[in-house]
Structure formats: structure tokens, C-alpha cells
Amino acid sequence: MINRVKKIANHFREGGITPTLSKIIRRSLTKYGYKRSSKNNLLRMQNLYKTLSEDVNWSEIKGIAIVTSALEFDEVYNQRTINLAKYLSEKSFLVLYVVWQWEPKEILEKSYQNVFPNVYQMPLYDFYNTLENLDLFEQKNKHFYITFPAGLFKDIEGKLANKNYKIIYDIMDEWEEFQKVGHAPWYKRSLEQQIVKDSNYIFAVSEPLKGKFASLNENLHVGGNGYTPKLSGEDKRFIANKMEETDSKIHVGYFGHLTESWFDWDYVFALAANPKMNIHLVGHGVSSFYMQKIEKHDNIHFYGKVHPSELYKFVSKWHVGIIPFKQSKLSEAVDPIKIYEYLYFGLPTVSTGIPHLSKYPFVKHCDSTDELVVAVQSFYKQVINQGLDYRELDEFLKETTWDERFNLMLKIID
């Protein structure tokens, strides 16, 4: 409750009283069932469907895939749903990329646009209100991918099942635990369970997530996250530790979300207590409390958000990567995309809170501060003494590209 009040206060301060009140009212209406799109948006959607039915080369289209996402499409962003949409388009699917909205009037920059070959972005509520237009497409191979268990997706699922769509629930995260830490306010356990029961195929990114729902649907498979060599930079493979000069410091790095809901800052400050350590943090979500603590340490460097294409410039100067997550059901179930990027860059990694990562090459899982410090120092010695055999990574990297992950998924479905 306190966090919610703080968020609202921040919105008032940053957005102004009138716009913030207007947004609160609109979202409250949506929460209690308001789903109506504007006449103008409905017309734009109908025109888009008409354009697709007339201009798409249907002789080359093998199916239709509706992919839901929390994020607008960005070709260079290494996110699961974006990579799934790109993969399906390359497999000759027409992809309708449906993006989450908190309420019908929320504006999305890339709505109604062709954002990638055979990929078209649509706002959630406009898509929901024009479902009948899907009948324009006479395709037999039709997929609907639910990528998080929001209520409106369940409504859409029922309508598409009647249109002979295959319903695929791709479980990317432990949504129930996300809700407990304030990051999925739309979540309802009973709704997710019903989605699992009603789906034709379910894929989970980790064994713990599969185990959670195994009793509800036997057609459940594990399909972890991955990486794309082209996206990470085909010439950036094993680029870590390629420093031109050495300063006799142990350079430890992390990129990603830095919220204290799951990021364990205690481990970071424990490492920083050693003056030989230099900690590099790339990402977003740092609270003002932890920013103040960071500023008191000369050996902790915070860079903010960095474009994905620029990450290699930071990693090339690091000896060891860290993923310091708090021990919880949330952390135990995740399969962080960053681990595949770390390993592609050739960065040995120390993790906490995610036990199953210990099965990956070049990864050491730790349960305490002492273990973490020892593991970082051990990897550092191996790096500077060229004691790491990078051939161990080759097979792992071959099997964990997004193409390999989705090849398996599509093989199971089709």
C-alpha cells in the first residue's frame, strides 16, 4: 500500500494533477469492464485488415500467428516475444503483434504499422474490438500465443478457440510472485490456472514453472530463453576480458533491471567492500535510496540504460558477470535472458537465487556472500591466467539460440 501511494505521488509530481487524475479515472473504468475503442481507432483497424487481406502475398503465407506482448516491437531488443514474432515471420507466418494497453486510450507509438516483414503491431483494445475481421483470412494454420495471463487475453482466447486457433500459453515468468512484489497488478491465480487448462500447448521457461502447472495440463514443455548471434553482434562472440590495459582490479559487471524487488543489493555492496573490486552496473529501476548508497562508493559505477547494440563495449572490459537475485520463488523460476548474452560474450558468471543456472557452463551459483566473493575471485584468476576453456561453451551456445528454442516449440505444435 505504501509503495502504491509513493507511485501515485510520483505520477502527480511528474505528470501534473489533471493528466494524472484523468489517467487514474480511465484505468479505473477499464479495470471494471470498460473496453470500448474510439470510432477513429476502429476505422484504422478495419482499414489495416482490409489492406492485409488485399496486399499480403497469401500464396507465400503458411499461417497466422497472433503474438501478445507487454512491449512495443523493437527489432534490436532481445526480448522473448519480439524474437518469437521475428522467428514466426521468417517461417512465413503473418504475425499480428498485439501490444498490452492499460486502458483503451493509451497511445502506442507503432500502432497499425508494419514493424518487420510480415509483422504488424496492433493495440490490444482495438484488436479485441475488431476480432471479427480475422475471418477475412482463410488460413488453416492459426496460432494464438498468450505470453502473460491477463484477463483480456483469456476473453480473446475463448473467441479464437471457436475460430479454430491453436492456443499456446508461453509462461515466461512466475507471474504470481511478480504480483506479490507489485509488478503484475492484473494477475489472478484462478485465471492463470484456467488459461493453462484451456490451452492446447504450454511452454515454460524453466523446470520449476513447468512443475507448478504440470497437474493442470499434461501437454506442458520446457523451452528456455535464448540469444541471437546477429543481435548480440556476430563479431562480438567471446569479447569479454578484452581490455587493452589492465589496472590490477577485478572488474565485475551486470546489465538489466535493478529493482530491489528481486535484485539483491547486499551482494553488490559486499563485493564493493573489497577495494580491489570495480563494480559496473548497466540498467534501470534503481531507487533513490540505492542511488545514494552507490554514490558513496568510488568503486561502484552506474551507467543507466544502454542501447542493446552498445552493451558489448561495457562487457569487453569486465572479467566476471554477476546475477545477484534474492532467494525466492520468483528467482528460482526465472530463466534470465542476460545469462545467454553473458555467455555469448564469453563472460564467466556468478549468480545467486537461481540454482538451476549452475548447470550452465561458466556459471557458479552461490548461497552466501562469502561464496560469492570467492567465486568472483576464482573466475578472475582463471581469466587472467587464460584458464577457461571456451570450447565448453560451443555446444551450449549452439543449442540455446532463439531459433533453436522456437524450432522445438513449432515442431511440438505442428
Side-chain angles (χ1 to χ4, degrees):
M1 182 65 180
I2 294 175
N3 288 335
R4 188 176 180 184
V5 171
K6 285 182 178 178
K7 285 183 180 179
I8 293 174
N10 287 336
H11 286 310
F12 276 123
R13 185 168 56 253
E14 295 171 6
I17 294 176
T18 301
T20 301
L21 280 175
S22 177
K23 182 184 292 186
I24 291 173
I25 291 170
R26 294 199 311 267
R27 291 192 177 182
S28 296
L29 287 170
T30 303
K31 181 178 179 180
Y32 293 104
Y34 184 83
K35 303 172 183 175
R36 195 175 301 167
S37 295
S38 70
K39 289 183 179 179
N40 184 54
N41 285 2
L42 293 177
L43 181 61
R44 294 180 74 178
M45 284 293 290
Q46 289 164 356
N47 288 336
L48 176 57
Y49 276 114
K50 187 174 184 293
T51 299
L52 292 176
S53 64
E54 294 175 351
D55 294 353
V56 169
N57 187 348
W58 289 99
S59 63
E60 296 181 357
I61 297 297
K62 296 180 180 178
I64 295 175
I66 300 167
V67 177
T68 58
S69 179
L71 301 169
E72 290 203 68
F73 191 92
D74 187 336
E75 184 180 348
V76 301
Y77 188 34
N78 188 29
Q79 201 270 346
R80 187 177 177 94
T81 54
I82 292 174
N83 282 292
L84 175 60
K86 289 161 62 176
Y87 170 85
L88 290 168
S89 78
E90 290 163 1
K91 295 299 179 182
S92 300
F93 277 79
L94 173 67
V95 180
L96 307 184
Y97 186 80
V98 178
V99 181
W100 170 261
Q101 293 171 291
W102 289 101
E103 40 91 9
K105 288 189 177 181
E106 182 178 353
I107 296 173
L108 302 174
E109 181 184 350
K110 299 179 182 179
S111 295
Y112 325 108
Q113 295 182 31
N114 181 192
V115 292
F116 193 75
N118 287 335
V119 180
Y120 295 82
Q121 179 172 305
M122 297 178 171
L124 171 59
Y125 285 93
D126 296 349
F127 173 76
Y128 172 82
N129 287 304
T130 56
L131 282 173
E132 69 278 0
N133 288 274
L134 291 172
D135 296 336
L136 291 170
F137 309 142
E138 298 178 0
Q139 288 285 319
K140 292 183 179 179
N141 194 17
K142 299 181 289 189
H143 298 181
F144 177 47
Y145 293 86
I146 300 174
T147 55
F148 55 101
L152 203 56
F153 295 153
K154 184 69 182 77
D155 293 348
I156 293 170
E157 176 211 286
K159 298 177 187 299
L160 294 184
N162 291 331
K163 296 179 183 292
N164 298 316
Y165 277 76
K166 296 174 182 176
I167 309 300
I168 301 108
Y169 179 32
D170 192 25
I171 312 176
M172 301 189 301
D173 278 300
E174 221 309 355
W175 297 113
E176 184 172 7
E177 298 302 318
F178 264 100
Q179 194 263 348
K180 290 178 181 178
V181 295
H183 288 272
W186 40 262
Y187 180 84
K188 292 181 180 179
R189 184 179 186 184
S190 59
L191 183 64
E192 182 172 34
Q193 290 177 335
Q194 195 59 52
I195 289 174
V196 170
K197 291 177 182 178
D198 293 343
S199 295
N200 302 114
Y201 305 92
I202 304 99
F203 298 89
V205 297
S206 67
E207 285 290 347
L209 276 178
K210 177 184 176 181
K212 179 177 181 177
F213 298 104
S215 64
L216 300 178
N217 192 323
E218 63 181 15
N219 206 353
L220 206 158
H221 311 270
V222 173
N225 286 318
Y227 75 101
T228 302
K230 184 177 180 181
L231 200 59
S232 296
E234 292 179 345
D235 60 335
K236 307 301 187 298
R237 178 182 169 99
F238 299 162
I239 199 171
N241 314 312
K242 298 298 186 291
M243 292 159 286
E244 295 180 1
E245 299 179 3
T246 179
D247 55 7
S248 300
K249 301 285 188 179
I250 303 175
H251 291 271
V252 181
Y254 171 91
F255 57 73
H257 209 300
L258 291 153
T259 174
E260 58 260 39
S261 295
W262 57 81
F263 187 87
D264 199 325
W265 285 97
D266 289 344
Y267 284 119
V268 172
F269 294 117
L271 288 173
N274 184 335
K276 191 175 180 181
M277 301 278 186
N278 258 346
I279 318 299
H280 305 270
L281 304 174
V282 175
H284 63 289
V286 185
S287 68
S288 57
F289 173 77
Y290 282 106
M291 276 302 304
Q292 290 173 7
K293 292 195 70 173
I294 288 172
E295 291 167 358
K296 295 177 181 178
H297 290 78
D298 293 335
N299 60 341
I300 301 181
H301 312 281
F302 174 64
Y303 306 96
K305 289 189 73 172
V306 169
H307 192 275
S309 63
E310 301 293 310
L311 285 175
Y312 76 92
K313 295 180 180 179
F314 295 83
V315 178
S316 66
K317 300 174 183 177
W318 299 349
H319 296 109
V320 183
I322 54 171
I323 307 179
F325 283 7
K326 295 178 179 178
Q327 183 70 40
S328 67
K329 289 183 179 180
L330 174 59
S331 66
E332 288 174 0
V334 302
D335 188 41
I337 291 175
K338 67 176 61 59
I339 188 61
Y340 301 99
E341 296 172 306
Y342 280 10
L343 296 180
Y344 178 79
F345 289 136
L347 192 67
T349 301
V350 179
S351 71
T352 63
I354 318 173
H356 69 265
L357 293 189
S358 62
K359 299 176 183 177
Y360 297 178
F362 281 38
V363 179
K364 171 67 175 175
H365 172 76
C366 299
D367 292 314
S368 69
T369 300
D370 289 342
E371 284 185 26
L372 182 80
V373 172
V374 170
V376 168
Q377 292 173 330
S378 175
F379 270 138
Y380 170 70
K381 290 177 182 177
Q382 292 179 70
V383 166
I384 62 173
N385 293 320
Q386 299 183 342
L388 293 171
D389 186 355
Y390 286 86
R391 291 174 298 181
E392 293 180 33
L393 281 178
D394 286 340
E395 195 62 34
F396 177 84
L397 291 173
K398 287 178 184 176
E399 295 173 353
T400 55
T401 64
W402 285 119
D403 277 357
E404 286 300 311
R405 298 298 204 192
F406 297 142
N407 280 340
L408 178 60
M409 180 185 289
L410 212 57
K411 183 178 180 181
I412 291 170
I413 294 170
D414 291 336

